[in-house]
């Protein structure tokens, strides 16, 4: 006699009914019909509904999942930019991105100077030194004479993000370098070399964003807001650059929950 489940379910592979004891499950089937009959017999040995035995104690240990959904810290009074300023900067940034895309192939084909040795993608320390320079990475205090006439020792001061350099970076390398610099920024202060490279990398970052890049730029905006919240004066040279990073992430890349309100 068929169960209620069998009556309701359509038969995809009709097989002639047989005696439940006719076939031995331990013996291999001799033809397709015997195989299907053995499958029927094996299925008949199990109940229609099975209840899993769950140990609640094991589940309690893995119930908490931490997901960071925090936004940017609010700027101190008078430290946040106006909406008009943000719109202007987004417009400029958009034009720069279009220009980079237009001339990327030309600059990609140009040869770099002999002194420009780009690190491999996975060389985290190498990229930090390349972008920021040894003086910043090694926290070397410059002498007064060095500040007056620093020269063009890019190994010490960091290579600027020339188009001839950034045009040679694929999206994987752009994301990797962006991550290296943001990790460095998490524990260090904002410096001009960092700002220049972050701006250039964001200008080369293609939309729509990959999940990894999406997470990175949000972390960048949050870090910028933290540094901004600790500034003591509106005349601090870092303020404009920090506001610009937050603006680009929030307004251009449409992370609206991170945006400074007018």
């Amino acid at each position: 006699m068929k169960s209620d489940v069998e009556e309701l379910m359509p038969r995809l592979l009709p097989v002639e009914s047989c005696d439940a004891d006719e076939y031995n499950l331990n013996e291999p089937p001799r033809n397709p019909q015997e195989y299907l009959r053995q499958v029927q017999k094996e299925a008949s040995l199990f109940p229609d509904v099975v209840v899993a035995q769950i140990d609640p104690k094991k589940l309690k240990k893995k119930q908490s999942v931490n997901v960071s959904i925090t936004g940017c810290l609010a700027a101190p009074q008078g430290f946040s930019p106006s909406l008009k300023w943000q719109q202007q900067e987004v417009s400029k940034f958009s034009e720069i991105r279009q220009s980079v895309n237009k001339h990327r192939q030309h600059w990609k084909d140009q040869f770099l100077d002999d002194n420009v040795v780009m690190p491999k993608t996975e060389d985290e320390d190498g990229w930090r030194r390349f972008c920021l320079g040894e003086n910043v990475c090694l926290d070397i205090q410059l002498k007064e004479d060095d500040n007056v006439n620093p020269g063009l020792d890019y190994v010490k001061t960091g290579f600027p993000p020339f188009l001839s350099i950034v045009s040679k970076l694929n999206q994987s390398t752009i994301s990797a370098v962006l991550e290296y610099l943001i990790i460095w920024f998490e524990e260090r202060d904002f410096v001009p070399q960092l700002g220049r490279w972050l701006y250039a990398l964001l200008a080369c970052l293609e939309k729509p964003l990959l999940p990894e890049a999406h997470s990175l730029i949000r972390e960048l905006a949050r870090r910028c807001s933290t540094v901004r919240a600790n500034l003591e004066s509106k005349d601090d040279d870092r303020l404009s650059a920090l506001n610009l990073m937050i603006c680009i992430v929030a307004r251009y890349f449409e992370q609206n929950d991170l945006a400074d309100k007018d």
Side-chain angles (χ1 to χ4, degrees):
M1 194 168 178
K2 296 181 180 179
S3 67
D4 294 338
V5 175
E6 288 178 314
E7 289 290 349
L8 293 173
M9 295 176 62
R11 299 185 66 186
L12 299 181
L13 293 172
V15 181
E16 296 179 1
S17 59
C18 61
D19 187 354
D21 298 325
E22 185 178 345
Y23 295 101
N24 188 343
L25 295 179
N26 297 322
E27 296 180 0
R30 292 169 294 181
N31 54 56
Q33 287 292 326
E34 287 190 2
Y35 169 75
L36 293 175
R37 288 168 182 165
Q38 286 192 12
V39 170
Q40 284 183 334
K41 179 180 179 182
E42 188 176 34
S44 68
L45 300 177
F46 294 94
D48 295 334
V49 178
V50 179
V51 179
Q53 299 298 320
I54 300 175
D55 185 356
K57 295 180 180 179
K58 294 182 179 180
L59 294 178
K60 289 181 180 179
K61 298 180 181 180
K62 299 181 179 181
Q63 289 296 301
S64 299
V65 178
N66 296 322
V67 179
S68 178
I69 57 175
T70 57
C72 288
L73 294 179
Q77 184 67 31
F79 281 58
S80 62
S82 66
L83 180 58
K84 181 179 180 181
W85 182 89
Q86 295 180 64
Q87 292 171 338
Q88 290 174 342
E89 292 303 325
V90 167
S91 178
K92 292 178 185 178
F93 182 71
S94 179
E95 292 175 1
I96 289 174
R97 281 175 61 90
Q98 293 174 17
S99 179
V100 169
N101 289 331
K102 181 178 179 180
H103 299 99
R104 175 174 291 178
Q105 189 58 49
H106 167 77
W107 286 106
K108 184 178 181 180
D109 296 335
Q110 303 302 307
F111 290 102
L112 297 173
D113 293 339
D114 294 337
N115 66 322
V116 183
V117 180
M118 296 172 64
K120 295 182 179 179
T121 300
E122 63 274 11
D123 187 358
E124 182 173 350
D125 184 64
W127 272 109
R128 288 175 179 169
R129 290 173 182 250
F130 184 87
C131 299
L132 307 178
E134 290 186 351
N135 291 340
V136 171
C137 290
L138 301 178
D139 199 20
I140 297 175
Q141 300 298 322
L142 298 179
K143 299 178 182 179
E144 185 175 350
D145 293 340
D146 295 331
N147 287 323
V148 174
N149 185 22
L152 291 175
D153 190 346
Y154 289 137
V155 173
K156 292 183 178 180
T157 63
F159 286 89
F162 296 125
L163 269 176
S164 57
I165 294 177
V166 297
S167 295
K168 297 182 186 302
L169 306 181
N170 56 35
Q171 288 298 300
S172 176
T173 303
I174 290 172
S175 294
V177 178
L178 191 60
E179 181 178 8
Y180 301 153
L181 295 180
I182 292 174
I183 292 174
W184 181 90
F185 183 33
E186 283 291 332
E187 300 178 353
R188 306 287 288 274
D189 200 359
F190 191 91
V191 294
Q193 296 96 316
L194 176 65
R196 288 193 290 267
W197 268 97
L198 289 175
Y199 191 93
L201 293 171
L202 291 175
C204 297
L205 199 60
E206 293 180 357
K207 296 175 70 175
L209 296 178
L210 295 175
E212 296 81 2
H214 177 273
S215 176
L216 280 173
I217 65 171
R218 288 183 62 85
E219 188 58 39
L220 170 61
R222 286 194 290 264
R223 174 57 181 165
C224 287
S225 73
T226 300
V227 175
R228 182 180 63 181
N230 289 286
L231 297 181
E232 296 180 355
S233 169
K234 290 185 290 184
D235 297 325
D236 194 302
D237 293 338
R238 295 169 292 175
L239 178 59
S240 180
L242 294 169
N243 282 338
L244 181 57
M245 291 296 108
I246 297 171
C247 171
I248 291 173
V249 171
R251 300 293 184 181
Y252 184 84
F253 289 102
E254 302 175 58
Q255 307 302 304
N256 297 319
D257 61 307
L258 304 179
D260 287 312
K261 304 301 185 288
D262 191 17

